[in-house]
Amino acid sequence: MAETINSLVALSDAAAELVERTANMIVAVHGGGRWPSSGIHWRSGVIVTAEEVLERDENIKVMFPGGRVVAASLAGRDASTDVAVLRFQPDGLQAAPTADAASLRPGHVVLALGNHEGAPIASLGIVAIAGPAWHSLRGGTIDSFIRLDLALSPAAEGGAVLNVHGRVVGMAVLGPRRRVLAIPTSTIDRVVDQLLAKGHVFRGYLGAGLQPVRLGRPSIGAQPPSSGRGILVASIDPDGPAACAGLLVGDIVTTWNAKPIDRVREVMRLLGSESIGKTIDLGLLRGGAPTTLKVVIGERPVA
């Protein structure tokens, strides 16, 4: 019994020491929400936080450990990966040491660390799922699917997920059904580079408003998709790639590079940064008759 108690005391002390050692790289972010969220001092003068909780682009303040408040400016935000980047004067604040989230396995102990009005706020838990790359509902590519088994305070969203060595392996966010996810460091680094360079993340652009549609009985000789569904072209950007290629309102997209497609979300996934400049073959139903069209994917314009 005494040995068990000693082990628990050692674990408790180690967790508290980890918080004390790393809390000076986490800030509170006052970005217009109902309550402040957290942010990670990612690089010197650069803070990373959760895009979904940053409700304004101006008049952003960050609170250092200890309570000192300074101004921050928005460098860029990417809703598809839930990453926003701020610039500020660090005044000696330590930047976070990071590690590759690919090292995580289910069962690994992790700590979510945020900043609540200048004081650290921590949650201890484990990695529940460590899976392959996935795509968010907004079409962003996340390098690995990391779900955590821990309770996350709203004030800690946008804060760090730490491994037992005190290195940041991701950013803590609330995903669908308010399950706690970690945006891995490799994804954050990629997005930070693009946001600092251009203020937005490069995304492919088709230039067409799309919606799913159930197909009726095909005309004689036509082969409908096996799912019986397609993607209706509901609108066209007159200056976009689809218009230049000859896509028309009312066309129904059934294949993308010869592979069946019937979900708008799948099109969003295919329009990642790697798609820009590539020529794709769209299989269509136009007036009930099958046809094909080549489209050169453009770069999504900044809103």
Side-chain angles (χ1 to χ4, degrees), residues 24 27 41 43-47 62 64-65 68 70-71 87-95:
N24 62 350
V27 300
H41 187 195
R43 301 173 187 170
S44 181
V46 174
I47 290 171
V62 297
F64 285 20
R68 188 162 66 92
V70 301
R87 291 185 184 272
F88 78 123
Q89 289 295 328
D91 294 331
L93 190 71
Q94 177 185 347

Side-chain angles (χ1 to χ4, degrees), residues 68 79 116 122 125 136 144 147 150 156 158 167 188 197 205 267 300:
R68 188 162 66 92
H116 179 62
S136 72
S144 51
R147 199 172 87 195
L150 54 77
R167 291 188 170 272
I188 296 172
Y205 185 57
V267 174
R300 180 174 295 277

Side-chain angles (χ1 to χ4, degrees), residues 75-133:
R77 59 197 304 164
D78 177 41
S80 73
T81 54
D82 202 4
V83 175
V85 174
L86 310 175
R87 291 185 184 272
F88 78 123
Q89 289 295 328
D91 294 331
L93 190 71
Q94 177 185 347
T98 62
D100 190 351
S103 63
L104 294 177
R105 299 289 182 270
H108 273 164
V109 174
V110 291
L111 187 118
L113 182 60
N115 181 313
H116 179 62
E117 297 295 349
I121 179 170
S123 299
L124 188 68
I126 64 170
V127 175
I129 299 174

Side-chain angles (χ1 to χ4, degrees), residues 31-64:
R34 292 174 57 191
W35 43 69
S37 56
S38 294
I40 310 165
H41 187 195
W42 199 257
R43 301 173 187 170
S44 181
V46 174
I47 290 171
V48 166
T49 189
E51 191 276 340
E52 67 177 357
V53 295
L54 191 66
E55 295 196 0
R56 62 188 180 215
D57 292 350
E58 298 178 345
N59 194 28
I60 300 168
K61 305 289 186 182
V62 297
M63 181 179 289
F64 285 20

Side-chain angles (χ1 to χ4, degrees), residues 42-278:
W42 199 257
R43 301 173 187 170
S44 181
V46 174
I47 290 171
V48 166
T49 189
E51 191 276 340
E52 67 177 357
V53 295
L54 191 66
E55 295 196 0
R56 62 188 180 215
D57 292 350
E58 298 178 345
N59 194 28
I60 300 168
K61 305 289 186 182
V62 297
M63 181 179 289
F64 285 20
R68 188 162 66 92
V69 177
V70 301
S73 60
L74 180 68
R77 59 197 304 164
D78 177 41
S80 73
T81 54
D82 202 4
V83 175
V85 174
L86 310 175
R87 291 185 184 272
F88 78 123
Q89 289 295 328
D91 294 331
L93 190 71
Q94 177 185 347
T98 62
D100 190 351
S103 63
L104 294 177
R105 299 289 182 270
H108 273 164
V109 174
V110 291
L111 187 118
L113 182 60
N115 181 313
H116 179 62
E117 297 295 349
I121 179 170
S123 299
L124 188 68
I126 64 170
V127 175
I129 299 174
W134 61 289
H135 293 86
S136 72
L137 293 174
R138 296 182 177 181
T141 301
I142 317 294
D143 293 348
S144 51
F145 181 75
I146 303 168
R147 199 172 87 195
L148 308 178
D149 187 3
L150 54 77
L152 186 70
S153 165
E157 186 167 9
V161 178
L162 302 169
N163 63 16
V164 293
H165 304 291
R167 291 188 170 272
V168 177
V169 290
M171 177 176 67
V173 299
L174 291 171
R177 300 181 183 177
R178 299 195 68 77
R179 290 173 173 164
V180 184
L181 305 177
I183 306 299
T185 50
S186 57
T187 301
I188 296 172
D189 275 329
R190 184 179 70 249
V191 174
V192 167
D193 287 343
Q194 294 189 32
L195 291 180
L196 291 178
K198 293 193 68 173
H200 68 281
V201 169
F202 314 117
R203 297 277 304 160
Y205 185 57
L206 184 61
L210 306 174
Q211 63 185 49
V213 64
R214 186 180 294 276
L215 302 177
R217 181 176 298 177
S219 59
I220 296 174
Q223 278 297 112
S226 58
S227 65
R229 297 175 182 273
I231 301 173
L232 175 69
V233 178
S235 62
I236 294 283
D237 175 357
D239 299 318
C244 292
L247 198 67
L248 302 176
V249 170
D251 285 345
I252 297 174
V253 180
T254 56
T255 64
W256 184 288
N257 283 340
K259 294 182 179 179
I261 190 167
D262 60 12
R263 300 175 64 192
V264 176
R265 183 179 174 185
E266 182 69 5
V267 174
M268 295 297 294
R269 183 186 71 79
L270 291 166
L271 290 174
S273 58
E274 69 284 350
S275 69
I276 298 171
K278 290 187 177 179

